[in-house]
Amino acid sequence: MNTAYALLARYETPTVQLRAISEEFFGLMPKTAEQKAKVDALPITTFKLRDSVQAPTMVHLTDLAAFIDKQRLEAKKGWEIMQAAKGA
């Protein structure tokens, strides 16, 4: 299954608030995630839909999906290296 489609099916919108995903996908409390977003210290792009401090910080699900897929690929490469070493 395509990661982006799975996220879209789950959230039913192409964008979600950072606070809604920060703990599950980044292991960060929402306040910490917001602070990191302000200084571009998260592994994905965040944005606001309007020019307001009070506007929620948003994440596009395609960016989140790309991050998930990248993390999986890196883990799979490491796993394959370990499997090859065990077989040698």
Side-chain angles (χ1 to χ4, degrees):
M1 175 176 254
N2 182 298
T3 307
Y5 288 125
L7 289 171
L8 185 58
R10 177 176 176 182
Y11 291 103
E12 300 178 342
T13 180
T15 59
V16 294
Q17 291 186 17
L18 175 61
R19 67 180 177 200
I21 62 153
S22 62
E23 289 185 61
E24 180 177 359
F25 294 103
F26 303 121
L28 299 171
M29 296 300 293
K31 185 175 181 179
T32 304
E34 289 285 341
Q35 291 169 340
K36 287 183 174 269
K38 287 180 184 177
V39 295
D40 293 326
L42 290 173
I44 62 172
T45 304
T46 60
F47 60 95
K48 293 186 180 249
L49 293 173
R50 50 184 196 275
D51 189 21
S52 168
V53 176
Q54 295 173 331
T57 302
M58 305 296 289
V59 170
H60 199 281
L61 291 180
T62 56
D63 295 334
L64 180 58
F67 169 72
I68 292 168
D69 290 342
K70 180 182 173 211
Q71 294 298 101
R72 178 188 173 272
L73 184 60
E74 289 176 11
K76 186 176 180 182
K77 285 179 184 177
W79 181 83
E80 287 172 347
I81 290 169
M82 291 302 295
Q83 296 304 308
K86 288 179 184 178

